[in-house]
Amino acid sequence: MLDDRKLAILRAIVTDYVSMREPVGSRALVERYQLDVSPATVRNDMAVLEEEGYITQPHTSAGRIPTDKGYRLFVDRLGTVKPLSPSERRAIETFMTGALDVDDLVRRTVRLLAQITQQVAIVQYPIDLGSSIRHIELVTLGGGRGLVIVVTSAGRVDQRAIETGGAGEETVADLRGRLNAALIGLSSERAASKAGALLDELPPELHPLGAVAIAAILDVLGTRETGRVVVGGVPNLTRFADQFETTVKPVLEALEEQVILLRLLGEAVGEDDVTVRIGHENPYASLQSTSVVASSYGTAPEAWATLGIVGPTRMDYPSTMAAVRAVARYVGRFLAEG
Amino acid sequence: MLDDRKLAILRAIVTDYVSMREPVGSRALVERYQLDVSPATVRNDMAVLEEEGYITQPHTSAGRIPTDKGYRLFVDRLGTVKPLSPSERRAIETFMTGALDVDDLVRRTVRLLAQITQQVAIVQYPIDLGSSIRHIELVTLGGGRGLVIVVTSAGRVDQRAIETGGAGEETVADLRGRLNAALIGLSSERAASKAGALLDELPPELHPLGAVAIAAILDVLGTRETGRVVVGGVPNLTRFADQFETTVKPVLEALEEQVILLRLLGEAVGEDDVTVRIGHENPYASLQSTSVVASSYGTAPEAWATLGIVGPTRMDYPSTMAAVRAVARYVGRFLAEG
DNA sequence: ACTGGCACTCAACCCTGGAGAGTGCCAAGC
DNA sequence: GCTTGGCACTCTCCAGGGTTGAGTGCCAGT
């Protein structure tokens, strides 16, 4: 039902609307793109496209703009791959090299992604499901307080504050030794179950301290998968300039909710390539005037997470997708190399 | 030159403009506040206030609005202390209790502050200048990589990735022992100088690993003071609704710059009470249409940092200052108790 | 020193008419 | 049968003009 010319017209409408930011009419279309037909023909085709729900007009005498369905078709079948510009490639290289640690890497990635796409960037901290426990440290801080520190083979360090009570240094050392002996080398899941069982094996004098320490370890292991999220490039939202209160505020609110962001990125897990959610395809009402372009990154199972961007549905999908894909690849490679 | 009535009029103008968000005229003033004089008298006084630079009018036939200088006078001499509402007190209690660790505490504080002030909140991580080194951990991760972890008596944990090369487990253990023996209990400054000297004392076989480990430790100690900053409540910026591109974008950009935020908060260090910077008093051009209300918090010297809010110059200073002060006190107390 | 009165200014609002962009439809042409 | 030129129609946008209303500054009177 949609012949080649209609598809070409849809592609032209999307392209034009994205760059011009104005509803596009039949005349402008034939002038700016080589359609080799008259405006009247284009109008007829546009009527069909509108009937099928791919485009719509804001008001009677205006040009057409793509609907979410139109963008979807464009992304799925019409988008031509747009390679990154040399300067973008260079930006990626420059940003990545010299990252100090995972924290720094994530911060750099957010900035980079926001800069090339000119959108709001979201990067999830790498989660290391498949990694194993490398070290467990118990430190007293005085005043009856202390820390439990868990280090994994992927280089991740988590800590929890605990009440140590009046436990002496040798008690701490004893417990530290037992914990390490029991848990080092185990995966998160196995460590969690082993730790639970370990409490019963401890001599009574280690019991009070052992209980809180193990509880802290279980907490670390349990919350590990949810991973944090970092957001950047929020100023790019100002390009939504029209409708501020109605459009931007909900988006800002969503961006402050870690849970929402995680779920948003979560949709991309398991996909091979870049995932695109357009407008209402989005699970959150507050983001239904935006699109999300996301991708997994990293080398499973050691470090695996997702990153992406949030922007107006009216965005340059080919470029954005290329950028997200490229950044995901680079970060993944960087992570693998250390 | 400014008698009591003129001051009362200025106070009324500020109060009214903040709540009504509209230039305020002489008639409205005498109607809404008990000035006991006629509009004409108020007009005469307003002419003087305008001449002195405390108020201004957007255009000829409009009411008056306060200038930065007017707000300054209001804050310094006219603001009546506004106690927190019971619900705000309750919010503070609720938010604080149950914080897991410093990270969590900071996150909760940002949310809390943003919620009660309805502004953008900024909280600096506690910096622990006066604390001492409690433990140093060296962990190998395989693949020639490893981690240096530094724990302070205030419970702060920092880590750095290092190249361990092919160093064996006993080498690592040896170095770990020497580092801990040398550095535990020292303050940041003394630890830094001692660490630098320590390298020369190491036996040759520990040299390559010792060099990178000590470099990492120095890096941790060196960057510790600059502390990170967390921002929250950005959606509250939407209440700037007028002038979006011109007003909000620069603010959003500033909010993404850790350096700017740190400097902004830094101004409040050493002050006893809440610090207020109004409009152009602000060092950054992009924030000159905003005011910053900040306060130090924490118990020196163990943990000491600042927090505050950024909002329009047209803000409810008494309430905001009360809220910032209260939150700073609470967080400080919480931090002291652990 | 305060007040009432008055003339003046200026943004905001509404209404109107014209211009322009774009459409849908139809009859004619290839 | 698809395509095209023509035409009437719709609707937004914009500029112009008149009115309204809030607010001011100034002055003379108490």
Side-chain angles (χ1 to χ4, degrees):
Chain A
M1 59 201 174
L2 289 187
D3 54 27
D4 284 354
R5 195 182 58 212
K6 291 190 183 61
L7 291 178
I9 288 174
L10 178 58
R11 174 192 285 128
I13 290 174
V14 171
T15 310
D16 201 77
Y17 183 58
V18 164
S19 64
M20 297 287 141
R21 307 176 161 224
E22 274 175 8
V24 33
S26 53
R27 176 204 303 272
L29 223 42
V30 294
E31 274 173 9
R32 286 202 273 265
Y33 304 84
Q34 291 79 28
L35 295 177
D36 295 328
V37 286
S38 78
T41 309
V42 173
R43 281 204 285 282
N44 289 332
D45 284 353
M46 291 203 295
V48 175
L49 284 169
E50 178 157 17
E51 195 161 339
E52 303 278 338
Y54 295 107
I55 56 179
T56 185
Q57 33 185 347
H59 55 83
T60 322
S61 75
R64 305 306 219 285
I65 63 177
T67 61
D68 289 353
K69 188 178 173 188
Y71 284 123
R72 167 54 58 197
L73 185 61
F74 177 83
V75 167
D76 287 347
R77 295 182 43 200
L78 303 175
T80 50
V81 183
K82 202 183 279 184
L84 290 188
S85 73
S87 72
E88 285 169 335
R89 295 216 161 274
R90 218 173 321 117
I92 296 183
E93 304 262 4
T94 316
F95 260 75
M96 290 296 158
T97 49
L100 296 173
D101 53 11
V102 173
D103 232 61
D104 194 38
L105 179 68
V106 169
R107 275 199 300 271
R108 283 167 186 249
T109 307
V110 166
R111 286 184 92 103
L112 170 67
L113 199 54
Q115 202 210 310
I116 0 189
T117 61
Q118 288 292 301
Q119 312 281 9
V120 180
I122 309 176
V123 177
Q124 183 185 10
Y125 268 74
I127 52 182
D128 46 358
L129 272 182
S131 67
S132 56
I133 304 243
R134 193 63 193 80
H135 184 78
I136 290 176
E137 188 57 44
L138 232 62
V139 186
T140 56
L141 297 174
R145 292 185 288 150
L147 283 180
V148 174
I149 303 172
V150 180
V151 184
T152 72
S153 60
R156 175 161 168 163
V157 180
D158 290 287
Q159 68 265 12
R160 286 288 181 280
I162 58 168
E163 297 284 335
T164 54
E169 205 51 58
E170 64 287 354
T171 314
V172 171
D174 187 3
L175 182 61
R176 180 193 300 132
R178 286 169 187 266
L179 287 173
N180 275 294
L183 302 179
I184 279 185
L186 299 187
S187 69
S188 290
E189 299 80 11
R190 298 197 37 224
S193 62
K194 184 75 176 281
L198 189 64
L199 187 55
D200 298 330
E201 301 169 16
L202 292 178
E205 68 270 20
L206 289 184
H207 237 262
L209 184 60
V212 293
I214 286 173
I217 292 172
L218 288 176
D219 187 43
V220 165
L221 295 176
T223 59
R224 162 156 314 159
E225 301 175 28
T226 63
R228 284 194 302 136
V229 161
V230 177
V231 174
V234 182
N236 292 331
L237 273 184
T238 50
R239 294 184 310 140
F240 269 67
D242 45 358
Q243 306 169 11
F244 184 42
E245 188 84 17
T246 53
T247 310
V248 177
K249 190 176 186 189
V251 176
L252 282 174
E253 277 164 1
L255 289 175
E256 287 213 337
E257 293 296 332
Q258 296 267 324
V259 190
I260 293 183
L261 296 181
L262 280 168
R263 166 122 183 256
L264 222 49
L265 291 180
E267 310 268 347
V269 171
E271 298 293 326
D272 270 355
D273 197 12
V274 172
T275 305
V276 180
R277 308 239 144 219
I278 299 166
H280 67 272
E281 296 172 6
N282 217 293
Y284 291 97
S286 52
L287 293 176
Q288 291 196 347
S289 60
T290 65
S291 288
V292 178
V293 179
S295 169
S296 295
Y297 73 91
T299 48
E302 280 266 312
W304 184 253
T306 53
L307 53 77
I309 62 95
V310 176
T313 49
R314 174 220 288 150
M315 76 165 73
D316 180 351
Y317 289 96
S319 298
T320 306
M321 290 167 69
V324 169
R325 184 182 298 120
V327 171
R329 292 247 172 89
Y330 260 86
V331 179
R333 200 178 311 160
F334 198 90
L335 221 47
E337 290 169 4
Chain B
M1 58 202 177
L2 290 188
D3 54 28
D4 283 355
R5 195 182 57 213
K6 291 191 183 61
L7 291 178
I9 288 174
L10 178 57
R11 173 192 286 128
I13 291 174
V14 171
T15 309
D16 201 76
Y17 182 59
V18 164
S19 63
M20 297 287 140
R21 310 180 157 219
E22 273 175 8
V24 33
S26 53
R27 175 204 303 270
L29 224 42
V30 295
E31 274 173 9
R32 286 202 275 262
Y33 304 84
Q34 290 79 28
L35 295 177
D36 296 329
V37 287
S38 78
T41 310
V42 172
R43 281 205 286 280
N44 289 331
D45 283 353
M46 291 203 296
V48 176
L49 284 170
E50 178 157 18
E51 195 160 338
E52 302 278 339
Y54 294 106
I55 57 179
T56 185
Q57 33 186 346
H59 56 82
T60 322
S61 74
R64 306 305 218 287
I65 62 176
T67 60
D68 288 354
K69 188 178 174 188
Y71 284 122
R72 167 54 58 196
L73 184 61
F74 177 84
V75 167
D76 287 347
R77 295 182 43 199
L78 303 175
T80 50
V81 182
K82 201 183 281 185
L84 290 189
S85 73
S87 71
E88 285 169 334
R89 296 217 160 274
R90 217 172 322 117
I92 296 184
E93 304 261 7
T94 316
F95 259 75
M96 289 297 159
T97 50
L100 296 174
D101 53 11
V102 173
D103 233 61
D104 194 39
L105 179 68
V106 169
R107 275 199 300 270
R108 283 167 186 248
T109 306
V110 166
R111 285 184 94 103
L112 170 67
L113 199 54
Q115 201 211 310
I116 14 188
T117 62
Q118 288 291 301
Q119 311 281 9
V120 180
I122 309 175
V123 177
Q124 183 185 8
Y125 267 75
I127 51 182
D128 46 358
L129 272 182
S131 68
S132 56
I133 298 214
R134 193 63 195 79
H135 184 77
I136 289 176
E137 188 57 43
L138 231 63
V139 186
T140 56
L141 296 174
R145 294 185 287 149
L147 283 179
V148 174
I149 303 172
V150 180
V151 184
T152 73
S153 59
R156 176 162 167 161
V157 180
D158 291 286
Q159 69 266 12
R160 286 288 182 279
I162 57 169
E163 296 284 334
T164 55
E169 207 49 60
E170 65 286 354
T171 314
V172 171
D174 187 3
L175 182 60
R176 179 193 301 132
R178 286 169 187 264
L179 286 172
N180 275 294
L183 301 179
I184 279 185
L186 299 187
S187 69
S188 290
E189 299 81 11
R190 298 196 38 223
S193 63
K194 184 76 176 281
L198 189 64
L199 187 55
D200 297 332
E201 301 170 15
L202 292 178
E205 68 270 20
L206 289 184
H207 236 260
L209 184 60
V212 293
I214 286 173
I217 292 172
L218 289 175
D219 187 42
V220 165
L221 296 176
T223 59
R224 164 157 310 162
E225 301 175 27
T226 63
R228 284 194 301 134
V229 161
V230 176
V231 175
V234 181
N236 292 330
L237 272 184
T238 49
R239 295 184 310 138
F240 269 66
D242 45 358
Q243 306 167 11
F244 184 43
E245 188 84 18
T246 54
T247 309
V248 176
K249 190 176 186 190
V251 176
L252 281 175
E253 277 165 0
L255 288 176
E256 287 213 337
E257 292 297 331
Q258 296 267 325
V259 190
I260 292 184
L261 297 180
L262 280 168
R263 167 123 183 255
L264 222 50
L265 291 180
E267 311 266 348
V269 171
E271 298 293 326
D272 270 355
D273 197 11
V274 172
T275 305
V276 180
R277 309 238 142 221
I278 299 166
H280 67 271
E281 296 172 6
N282 217 292
Y284 291 97
S286 54
L287 293 176
Q288 290 196 347
S289 60
T290 65
S291 288
V292 178
V293 179
S295 169
S296 295
Y297 74 90
T299 49
E302 279 267 312
W304 184 253
T306 52
L307 53 77
I309 63 94
V310 177
T313 50
R314 174 221 286 149
M315 76 164 72
D316 180 352
Y317 289 96
S319 298
T320 307
M321 290 167 69
V324 170
R325 184 182 298 120
V327 171
R329 292 246 173 90
Y330 260 86
V331 179
R333 200 178 310 161
F334 198 90
L335 221 46
E337 290 169 4

